[in-house]
Amino acid sequence: MCGIVGAVSTRNIVPVLVQGLERLEYRGYDSCGVAVYAQDGQPGLRRARSTSRVSELIEQVASGQVQGTLGIAHTRWATHGAPLVHNAHPHFSHGPGADADSKPGRVALVHNGIIENHDELRAALKAKGYVFHSQTDTEVIAHLIDSLYDGDLFEAVKATVLQLHGAYAIAVFCKDEPHRLIGARAGSPLILGVGKDGQEHFLASDAMALAGVTDQIVYLEEGDVVDVQLGKYWLIDKAHKAVAPAERPVKTVHAHSGAAELGPYRHYMQKEIFEQPRAIADTLEGVEGIVPELFDQQGNHAPGANAARVFKQIDSVLILACGTSYYSGCAAKYWIESIAKVPCQVEVASEYRYRESVPNPNTLVVTITQSGETADTLAALRHAQSLGMQHTLTICNVATSAMVRECSLAYVTRAGVEIGVASTKAFTTQLAGLFLLTLCLAQAKGRLTDADEARHLKAMRHLPAALQAVLALEPQIMAWADDFAKKENALFLGRGLHFPIAMEGALKLKEITYIHAEAYAAGELKHGPLALVTSEMPVVTVAPNDALLEKLKSNLHEVRARGGVLYVLADADTRIDSGEGLHVIRMPEHYGELSPLLHVVPLQLLAYHTACARGTDVDKPRNLAKSVTVE
């Protein structure tokens, strides 16, 4: 969600800080800022903050008034307090006796996460005379560190984190120690970047922020506190015991150096939709037979025999995910139960940990996440593990993420960096990974014949070409988008395996066009939502030529009889023809079990072109963030 960049160096570090923020813009944010310890004629804390884009912040610092060799920067997605300048990070401490116009205190801090006991801490600090200039929970941390500071910032942060309840990743410095940067994390990601020859070191929420600056990365673990100085760094763990270098090894991470060029595309979302054939091909590249390229928690290739043994032991599957990833899991449920014949349950991760469930140690717990840092999904995984379910596997797009490190097995998709907040290529590569998992389970259970294996592999190898043919439908989708841009409500229908695809289509429309959209299993139409159908509510229907086609046609007749206007994505041989109130786009071919990967692409394009027609900020929709690292 929010982005952190921090550095201690021998050079002016501001260009590196703001460049790091630019590379984290894809996460989504509504304010940004940078703070440094300035060492010119009037040494002390200085900052610039903005509720506009990072480009506007760069214009602020270009005057040269914000320069220094020690600094922190941040992109904020508002939780506590509106997206206003006084709530933007970094925050300064203001000690007893300070007033609203007072000079900043000695502590500067940025924070990702949510502090649950901030009200209690705020009251105690106000009683000591501390002045609050924001509505954020973050300012509480700055004041608390200041109140505990006695000449050693590392010790003050250690004492502070013991009083914090909730999730946090922080980077903090103090004007009294101008060559020292302290970081700490619990529940939110934070990494250490090791600079060349010890001349500079960095903190960041994402390795991408440091691309081109350093590729030597240390991944901080839950509860770690790190002391970063010129030429050295020092770590303690959650028990506040010193951490040996071997326990937090330096890894070489070749992060993408910022956002890729747009090329001929108007937005990153459009580019990423059209990258799906390549993303699917790359995701399937490491597949040997039907066995995906699995990794263990250390990032080593997991022996196929070990994975097969786990798959033979399990008797059910539990999928945990949020948002778009949840819908990919819903589609996988149909595959896992129909092909592998293994019972499968799909849970919204944010709900799973807060209800009493019946744990089964023979369950394979599958987490799905694009970033691998989704707070709700990580918490749900840990909850499942605490209940004794130790067979865990993640399908994730980031090999170095917390989710990959915490699951015993990982299948890393190869979608590449996804800049647009609304997920597209990450979703289709997740579906590809889940289909491979289904085949692995079926094979381990002795439920996959040689003929079926060959048929499925042939279909998967043809997916990139099939997706290219679907993308050629873009001009027809654009004509639909002109109609949708004038509407404020839409209904999406699907049956069976394609009901989750209808849900994903509705989500995409909501996310980037701000049109209210809902999805229903088509058979549920007459159980309530039919009351909403008028000529002003377009009804999008996913209509593959499968066993439920005739039932689906009956649902379409129900809509037309009420004056509804239908937009149907139909396979070529469905015998559904365009007419008054019925708009049909024919898919190039029927694709059997893998049909969801093709049918979702026109829905992505529909949302995209409708958003363009309405003039919304496609890649950075309001109120949303790319990586949701808070509950």
Side-chain angles (χ1 to χ4, degrees):
M1 187 171 286
C2 307
I4 287 176
V5 192
V8 56
S9 179
T10 57
R11 58 171 166 155
N12 176 27
I13 208 65
V14 171
V16 172
L17 297 178
V18 294
Q19 182 185 62
L21 293 188
E22 286 184 302
R23 290 173 176 164
L24 295 177
E25 283 191 285
Y26 77 98
R27 287 172 171 249
Y29 64 102
D30 44 40
S31 64
C32 53
V34 59
V36 298
Y37 177 75
Q39 294 175 298
D40 52 18
Q42 293 182 315
L45 302 184
R46 291 187 195 161
R47 70 183 167 190
R49 298 184 290 178
S50 173
T51 55
S52 185
R53 295 297 182 203
V54 173
S55 58
E56 197 275 336
L57 181 70
I58 292 173
E59 291 179 8
Q60 284 192 50
V61 302
S63 64
Q65 297 302 306
V66 181
Q67 293 187 22
T69 57
L70 172 69
I72 51 179
H74 191 264
T75 52
R76 175 179 184 252
W77 189 83
T79 53
H80 296 73
L84 303 171
V85 170
H86 67 271
N87 288 325
H89 299 209
H91 286 288
F92 292 158
S93 62
H94 293 82
D99 57 37
D101 298 318
S102 64
K103 294 180 180 179
R106 55 191 172 186
V107 172
L109 176 138
V110 292
H111 161 233
N112 290 350
I114 291 176
I115 304 304
E116 296 172 356
N117 61 332
H118 69 96
D119 284 335
E120 172 190 337
L121 294 172
R122 185 188 301 266
L125 288 161
K126 280 185 174 180
K128 292 180 179 181
Y130 280 86
V131 176
F132 286 81
H133 294 170
S134 77
Q135 289 77 50
T136 68
D137 53 339
T138 298
E139 194 179 4
V140 168
I141 313 174
H143 291 343
L144 184 57
I145 292 172
D146 184 277
S147 73
L148 296 171
Y149 183 74
D150 190 21
D152 189 328
L153 185 61
F154 189 61
E155 293 299 321
V157 173
K158 282 170 56 180
T160 295
V161 297
L162 294 175
Q163 298 187 43
L164 302 180
H165 300 160
Y168 58 83
I170 61 172
V172 55
F173 68 86
C174 176
K175 72 175 186 179
D176 295 343
E177 299 178 76
H179 300 292
R180 196 178 199 188
L181 177 66
I182 309 298
R185 65 147 299 195
S188 290
L190 192 66
I191 63 168
L192 166 69
V194 180
K196 295 178 181 178
D197 303 321
Q199 292 303 301
E200 55 190 11
H201 294 312
F202 309 90
L203 292 175
S205 51
D206 189 322
M208 186 185 294
L210 305 180
V213 179
T214 181
D215 59 3
Q216 301 299 292
I217 303 297
V218 177
Y219 288 92
L220 304 185
E221 298 292 338
E222 189 79 356
D224 281 356
V225 182
V226 60
D227 186 347
V228 184
Q229 302 182 41
L230 286 175
K232 63 180 179 180
Y233 59 88
W234 178 260
L235 272 162
I236 60 170
D237 63 16
K238 61 184 177 182
H240 286 191
K241 294 181 180 179
V243 174
E247 295 180 56
R248 304 285 188 276
V250 178
K251 297 186 177 182
T252 301
V253 177
H254 299 294
H256 294 261
S257 57
E261 294 296 324
L262 274 173
Y265 301 102
R266 291 177 61 188
H267 301 91
Y268 285 109
M269 182 179 178
Q270 184 187 29
K271 179 176 184 288
E272 288 155 8
I273 290 171
F274 276 82
E275 285 178 338
Q276 288 177 112
R278 178 205 52 79
I280 293 291
D282 289 349
T283 295
L284 299 178
E285 184 181 348
V287 176
E288 299 178 7
I290 61 167
V291 180
E293 191 177 27
L294 294 170
F295 297 88
D296 61 18
Q297 287 173 310
Q298 285 70 48
N300 302 313
H301 282 88
N306 290 351
R309 185 163 53 251
V310 170
F311 294 159
K312 287 178 180 177
Q313 288 176 358
I314 64 101
D315 57 22
S316 63
V317 173
L318 171 62
I319 295 176
L320 303 171
C322 299
T324 285
S325 296
Y326 171 74
Y327 296 143
S328 71
C330 290
K333 175 183 173 71
Y334 287 90
W335 288 331
I336 292 169
E337 295 198 341
S338 65
I339 298 173
K341 309 298 183 188
V342 175
C344 179
Q345 184 177 359
V346 188
E347 295 258 7
V348 175
S350 57
E351 290 293 316
Y352 170 70
R353 64 184 292 223
Y354 293 114
R355 70 173 186 83
E356 289 192 22
S357 57
V358 181
N360 174 6
N362 294 324
T363 293
L364 176 66
V365 179
V366 177
T367 62
I368 312 171
T369 162
Q370 188 281 136
S371 67
E373 305 291 349
T374 307
D376 287 318
T377 310
L378 280 166
L381 168 69
R382 293 164 186 157
H383 177 66
Q385 291 170 326
S386 73
L387 296 176
M389 293 187 282
Q390 299 305 312
H391 298 310
T392 58
L393 181 149
T394 189
I395 293 176
C396 179
N397 194 39
V398 181
T400 55
S401 63
M403 189 67 75
V404 171
R405 296 197 302 274
E406 294 191 27
C407 285
S408 54
L409 293 171
Y411 179 43
V412 179
T413 57
R414 295 175 179 175
V417 175
E418 192 177 62
I419 304 295
V421 167
S423 181
T424 53
K425 61 180 181 175
F427 177 73
T428 48
T429 52
Q430 285 171 355
L431 288 175
L434 288 161
F435 192 74
L436 283 173
L437 173 62
T438 299
L439 299 183
C440 287
L441 290 171
Q443 188 179 67
K445 300 295 185 184
R447 294 163 187 159
L448 188 69
T449 66
D450 291 343
D452 282 340
E453 178 181 346
R455 176 174 61 85
H456 291 311
L457 285 174
K458 181 180 178 181
M460 295 201 79
R461 292 190 186 105
H462 182 59
L463 270 174
L467 284 166
Q468 289 286 10
V470 175
L471 289 167
L473 300 173
E474 185 179 31
Q476 297 177 60
I477 300 292
M478 292 171 70
W480 282 13
D482 289 340
D483 293 343
F484 275 71
K486 304 164 191 157
K487 308 300 182 182
E488 293 302 326
N489 300 280
L491 192 62
F492 286 69
L493 302 178
R495 297 204 73 146
L497 181 57
H498 293 80
F499 171 40
I501 300 308
M503 291 193 287
E504 172 63 9
L507 177 62
K508 285 292 153 288
L509 198 69
K510 280 183 277 196
E511 285 180 312
I512 62 171
T513 71
Y514 316 142
I515 294 172
H516 173 249
E518 295 297 335
Y520 277 86
E524 288 293 291
L525 191 61
K526 53 188 169 291
H527 295 289
L530 195 58
L532 298 172
V533 171
T534 70
S535 60
E536 289 303 305
M537 176 179 275
V539 180
V540 181
T541 307
V542 182
N545 189 9
D546 59 16
L548 290 171
L549 177 62
E550 294 307 317
K551 296 289 186 185
L552 184 62
K553 286 182 178 179
S554 299
N555 304 136
L556 302 186
H557 287 302
E558 292 169 350
V559 172
R560 294 190 72 185
R562 274 77 181 177
V565 180
L566 285 159
Y567 295 79
V568 182
L569 293 169
D571 284 345
D573 49 0
T574 53
R575 298 187 304 282
I576 301 174
D577 298 314
S578 295
E580 172 133 15
L582 176 58
H583 307 276
V584 179
I585 291 179
R586 298 210 176 279
M587 299 291 286
E589 58 184 307
H590 176 57
Y591 222 67
E593 291 96 340
L594 290 168
S595 174
L597 280 86
L598 302 189
H599 273 87
V600 75
V601 174
L603 300 181
Q604 296 169 349
L605 287 168
L606 177 62
Y608 170 73
H609 285 292
T610 303
C612 289
R614 288 169 70 94
T616 63
D617 192 342
V618 173
D619 288 331
K620 300 181 181 72
R622 68 188 183 200
N623 304 333
L624 299 180
K626 184 65 179 171
S627 178
V628 185
T629 55
V630 297
E631 284 194 72

